[in-house]
Amino acid sequence: MGAVFDMDWDSVGTSDDNRPGLKARTVKQLARDLRLARDIEPPKTSREERPLLDVGELSGRRGRAIFLLGAGCSASAKIPLASSVAERCICVLARRYSVGQAPASEFSDSGKALKFLIGRGIIPSRFELASGQGDWAALYTYLFAEHLKSPNQQREIISRIIEEREHGMNWAHACLGTLVQQRYVHTVLTTNFDQLALEGIVRTGITPVVADGLESLTRISPTPAWPQVVHLHGSMHTYDLRNSPTALTETGDDRNLQTVMMSLLKHATVLVVVGYAGGEEGVMNLLQYAARTIPRMVVYWVAYEKSYREFSPRAQALLQTGENKFFVPDQDADKFFQGLMRELGEGQPAWVADPIAALVEQRDRLPLRGDHEIDELINDYRERIDHAGKNRHNKGLAIAAALQARSVGDFKKAAELLAPTKETDLRARFLYAQSLQDTFDENPADNTSLIDQAIKEFEHLHRHGRVEHRVRYAEFLIEALFDRLEIMAQSSDETIEGLKEIIAVIGAARPRIPQSSQSGKALLNFYEARAKQELWALTKPGTADRGVIKAYQAALKQPGALGEKYVEARDGLAQALATHTDDTLTTDPDAGRLARRRMRGDITDAIDIHTSLVEHAWHNQPNANFAGMLKNLASDYEILAKLKRKGPLKETPIREAVRAMERVVAAYEADADSNAAADAQARLDRLREVMR
């Protein structure tokens, strides 16, 4: 158990005024800045109406945002990360260095290959971790510096690995292409060797300017009239890939690149960094220099890591330099771009939403040239496109249109499109129910009937849908039932019946969960714990029962399976422990030593959990969330004070509760939330009275 007296507030930050969580932003907030960065496409004119070309004229700027992409953007396209590349290289080296000593087939396993190379003194033993695994991230730079030094070898290995990938495109780069096409983004910087950024833009019908080596940076303009892709480390086709530590550092020291980067960033209104850890020296030195030189440069660091504390030291240093440096944590690249496209109202890439329309749009881009044989081929091409346009496959058009409406956030329109077909198509019914629920979530007060309709549809799917999907349908049904509870009067009979219905749905769904579905089990355990907790508070307030605690503990046995519900489950467990302690004290204030020891253990566990959640909020969440976690922690200390009864032992936890509430008041005042600040101040005053 952790300590509960004289809490080490350094662990949750000593200065709330400059805590990292104040820099945390959402995708919605990022989208607002991108809207302001967009340049409107100039009106199209006929050739006769266009003015004569003159030096210095631009046909229209391409937006004022720059995206910097790292390896995380390419992960779902099966482009290997640096550690995977190192594993492949180790196998290559083991086969080459073992000629005549062992069969090549022995070294298809990277672990065996590494042990062989270390045993022969070829690779230093420091690259084998205590666990027996290789330190693959560190080996990546070492191998290219000490063994695979030739640019030809590097290019061959990187190209071969990229060409072997399973997929040629992923959602992140498809969406990025649309952002470029729609004039939000004029330049894409990438540390990746793959061609996905180029492919995503080309799919929109645009061929960007490409600089894939330091010598080609003269092509790059700070205010381009045409989109640009810059490979900061070279591409898979570049002769001199920049892989070694020296080469990567030289990227940051190159005077031409410094000049280009500074010029680009000075003219941009926002830099968005996605899928990049920021662990290397070269590029981060460039960004750090730019942040010092342009202190108000707007930067959004979109991170895969769940917490600011997990960011690389260089990423943290960048975010602490100057003003307007923000971060969006816990973002998978594909899902981030999907959410960003929805917030911008762009939806799906046009060539995904309507591939035939994309073909029709391109049909006239291949002009006739007056040669009979060639023109016949071109006309045949056009006729086949026209035929495809006139003979579209009509099945599923409602779903396609509804998916497009959902992708731009128009859930009401999606529901309207799906209503006529939902009775005969389970997929349409599921999307219809989702769209009703999403419309309700946008404005619950004005859409109360929609959640009842959504529940009705999810219930149908749960009973009659395909067996392999029923657990998923149950999860959506449970979420919808919880949504309906939010608008019901507390302590009403309806609320109690609603909670019982949720528990019944969980009971029916649990036997259907496949043994391999850890996520399904964990989520149902979480939902059950939450429903039991709320039901107990309504039906048996003031009485102690460990059933809710056990339910949360069951859900948290596999925390990784809970996904975004993990923090909520931990908070629920902490509140269940605190409530159980408080109820036990109320019903049995003179409990014996063993009972009090158990209560002390429970409330200590609650404090430990809430302290870690306060710490997480301090690093990653805005003031309202931070204040909410602090209030929970203050409540825990108040319960502990009751357990200590009187004297100095009681005053210590009360003092900690006072310190927590002082920070709550300051957080609300910083947000200019006068009502919340006043309520928190009243609670703080009561606690101070207790200390006197």
Side-chain angles (χ1 to χ4, degrees):
M1 295 178 188
V4 293
F5 300 130
D6 293 325
M7 177 180 171
D8 180 12
W9 284 98
D10 289 340
S11 67
V12 292
T14 54
S15 174
D16 294 343
D17 294 337
N18 297 309
R19 65 185 183 84
L22 297 175
K23 297 176 179 289
R25 293 295 184 270
T26 63
V27 176
K28 182 186 287 290
Q29 290 169 308
L30 191 163
R32 291 174 189 159
D33 276 346
L34 271 187
R35 285 181 184 276
L36 296 177
R38 186 182 189 186
D39 279 318
I40 304 301
E41 184 176 2
K44 294 181 179 179
T45 58
S46 66
R47 187 176 297 276
E48 293 76 19
E49 294 173 321
R50 293 174 191 168
L52 294 174
L53 180 66
D54 198 357
V55 175
E57 288 190 353
L58 297 177
S59 61
R61 286 184 47 151
R62 301 295 312 190
R64 297 161 195 261
I66 297 173
F67 270 60
L68 169 58
L69 309 183
C73 277
S74 300
S76 66
K78 306 302 182 184
I79 301 293
L81 300 177
S83 56
S84 298
V85 173
E87 290 189 64
R88 295 286 296 275
C89 290
I90 280 290
C91 293
V92 170
L93 292 178
R95 286 194 291 270
R96 291 302 183 102
Y97 290 144
S98 67
V99 175
Q101 302 176 51
S105 58
E106 285 288 310
F107 303 118
S108 58
D109 178 85
S110 58
K112 290 181 180 179
L114 178 60
K115 289 183 185 298
F116 170 81
L117 293 171
I118 291 175
R120 296 296 188 279
I122 298 171
I123 299 290
S125 60
R126 70 176 184 273
F127 290 110
E128 184 176 27
L129 301 174
S131 63
Q133 298 295 313
D135 187 356
W136 302 113
L139 273 165
Y140 176 81
T141 51
Y142 168 80
L143 294 176
F144 284 111
E146 299 297 329
H147 294 272
L148 299 165
K149 299 182 286 293
S150 165
N152 288 338
Q153 292 172 332
Q154 295 177 11
R155 183 184 62 200
E156 182 180 347
I157 288 172
I158 295 295
S159 296
R160 179 69 179 272
I161 291 173
I162 291 175
E163 287 168 358
E164 288 176 357
R165 71 189 190 273
E166 183 180 346
H167 307 298
M169 174 64 69
N170 67 357
W171 193 250
H173 289 91
C175 293
L176 178 64
T178 296
L179 297 181
V180 171
Q181 179 193 35
Q182 296 301 320
R183 295 176 180 262
Y184 295 97
V185 181
H186 67 63
T187 299
V188 177
L189 308 172
T190 176
T191 63
N192 302 330
F193 303 124
D194 60 66
Q195 302 287 292
L196 294 180
L198 174 62
E199 289 180 38
I201 298 171
V202 168
R203 291 289 183 99
T204 69
I206 298 171
T207 303
V209 176
V210 177
D212 59 355
L214 297 181
E215 71 286 346
S216 61
L217 290 173
T218 53
R219 306 172 191 165
I220 301 305
S221 167
T223 55
W226 205 248
Q228 306 172 135
V229 175
V230 181
H231 287 269
L232 297 173
H233 292 166
S235 74
M236 61 185 285
H237 302 304
T238 304
Y239 181 78
D240 186 13
L241 289 170
R242 306 178 68 76
N243 281 327
S244 69
T246 302
L248 292 174
T249 302
E250 286 173 355
T251 298
D253 295 337
D254 185 271
R255 189 60 59 87
N256 287 337
L257 183 54
Q258 290 175 356
T259 302
V260 168
M261 286 286 286
M262 286 302 300
S263 186
L264 278 170
L265 294 171
K266 278 182 179 178
H267 288 86
T269 60
V270 58
L271 169 67
V272 182
V273 183
V274 189
Y276 180 54
E280 65 197 29
E281 186 176 347
V283 174
M284 290 307 296
N285 281 350
L286 284 171
L287 293 180
Q288 190 68 49
Y289 176 74
R292 290 194 302 269
T293 307
I294 318 169
R296 299 185 65 190
M297 177 177 72
V298 180
V299 177
Y300 281 89
W301 192 275
V302 182
Y304 177 77
E305 293 80 10
K306 295 182 183 297
S307 172
Y308 175 89
R309 296 189 70 188
E310 300 169 16
F311 292 3
S312 70
R314 290 188 176 94
Q316 292 186 10
L318 175 66
L319 290 168
Q320 293 164 6
T321 303
E323 303 175 47
N324 302 322
K325 307 300 183 294
F326 310 116
F327 67 93
V328 187
D330 196 14
Q331 295 293 314
D332 166 85
D334 287 342
K335 291 181 180 178
F336 161 72
F337 275 101
Q338 171 71 357
L340 182 60
M341 293 280 281
R342 175 173 289 172
E343 294 295 342
L344 291 170
E346 295 295 341
Q348 307 172 68
W351 58 270
V352 176
D354 193 341
I356 292 178
L359 280 174
V360 170
E361 184 182 347
Q362 293 180 25
R363 70 183 291 281
D364 294 327
R365 292 187 181 182
L366 186 62
L368 300 173
R369 70 177 306 273
D371 180 274
H372 175 73
E373 187 173 350
I374 294 174
D375 287 352
E376 282 291 323
L377 294 171
I378 294 173
N379 280 323
D380 181 63
Y381 159 74
R382 292 179 176 182
E383 287 173 8
R384 281 181 282 140
I385 290 177
D386 290 342
H387 178 78
K390 294 174 183 176
N391 296 274
R392 290 169 176 265
H393 184 51
N394 291 322
K395 184 179 179 182
L397 283 182
I399 289 179
L403 286 170
Q404 176 62 11
R406 286 182 58 79
S407 70
V408 299
D410 193 344
F411 304 116
K412 182 178 179 181
K413 180 180 178 181
E416 291 170 351
L417 289 166
L418 292 161
T421 60
K422 70 180 181 69
E423 297 297 334
T424 57
D425 189 323
L426 284 176
R427 185 185 177 205
R429 187 185 287 272
F430 176 62
L431 289 170
Y432 175 70
Q434 270 190 296
S435 300
L436 291 173
Q437 185 178 11
D438 290 333
T439 307
F440 165 81
D441 287 339
E442 288 182 324
N443 190 358
D446 294 338
N447 294 313
T448 54
S449 63
L450 294 182
I451 196 63
D452 290 326
Q453 290 177 254
I455 289 170
K456 180 181 176 182
E457 299 299 337
F458 284 131
E459 285 175 338
H460 179 92
L461 290 164
H462 183 227
R463 292 194 187 100
H464 307 294
R466 295 173 62 177
V467 174
E468 62 268 29
H469 294 157
R470 287 187 188 176
V471 174
R472 183 184 180 209
Y473 295 148
E475 291 171 6
F476 276 91
L477 172 57
I478 291 165
E479 285 285 351
L481 289 167
F482 272 122
D483 276 353
R484 185 169 65 182
L485 292 177
E486 300 269 331
I487 59 172
M488 289 182 178
Q490 291 298 312
S491 303
S492 69
D493 291 340
E494 268 190 313
T495 301
I496 292 170
E497 290 306 311
L499 291 167
K500 289 180 178 178
E501 184 178 357
I502 289 172
I503 294 171
V505 171
I506 294 167
R510 186 170 275 129
R512 298 171 177 167
I513 302 176
Q515 289 297 319
S516 59
S517 178
Q518 301 302 324
S519 176
K521 294 175 187 176
L523 279 173
L524 289 187
N525 285 335
F526 163 72
Y527 289 132
E528 183 177 46
R530 179 182 167 188
K532 285 183 174 180
Q533 188 172 38
E534 294 182 20
L535 184 62
W536 191 270
L538 291 174
T539 58
K540 300 178 181 179
T543 59
D545 179 80
R546 298 194 70 84
V548 173
I549 294 172
K550 291 178 180 177
Y552 275 118
Q553 289 171 335
L556 286 162
K557 282 182 178 178
Q558 293 180 311
L562 283 171
E564 62 185 19
K565 301 293 185 184
Y566 172 65
V567 171
E568 191 177 345
R570 292 192 72 215
D571 184 44
L573 174 59
Q575 293 196 44
L577 289 163
T579 300
H580 185 271
T581 303
D582 199 27
D583 290 343
T584 303
L585 274 172
T586 301
T587 56
D588 189 7
D590 298 316
R593 180 180 298 177
L594 289 176
R596 298 184 78 82
R597 182 181 298 169
R598 186 168 192 178
M599 284 188 279
R600 193 177 297 114
D602 283 347
I603 197 61
T604 300
D605 288 345
I607 289 172
D608 285 345
I609 293 170
H610 276 143
T611 299
S612 69
L613 293 177
V614 167
E615 182 179 8
H616 180 80
W618 191 86
H619 283 97
N620 301 289
Q621 293 179 350
N623 277 327
N625 303 66
F626 178 54
M629 290 300 176
L630 281 167
K631 286 193 289 186
N632 288 340
L633 183 61
S635 297
D636 295 343
Y637 276 113
E638 288 185 76
I639 294 169
L640 180 61
K642 292 181 188 178
L643 189 60
K644 296 299 179 184
R645 295 184 178 177
K646 59 184 178 180
L649 291 178
K650 177 179 179 179
E651 290 176 4
T652 302
I654 287 293
R655 185 168 61 246
E656 298 297 344
V658 166
R659 294 177 70 181
M661 289 307 301
E662 287 172 344
R663 301 178 87 186
V664 171
V665 172
Y668 284 135
E669 288 178 343
D671 271 4
D673 189 340
S674 56
N675 291 333
D679 291 342
Q681 185 64 52
R683 181 177 171 185
L684 176 58
D685 292 340
R686 289 194 297 271
L687 287 169
R688 285 172 173 165
E689 282 295 321
V690 173
M691 287 188 65
R692 290 181 184 144

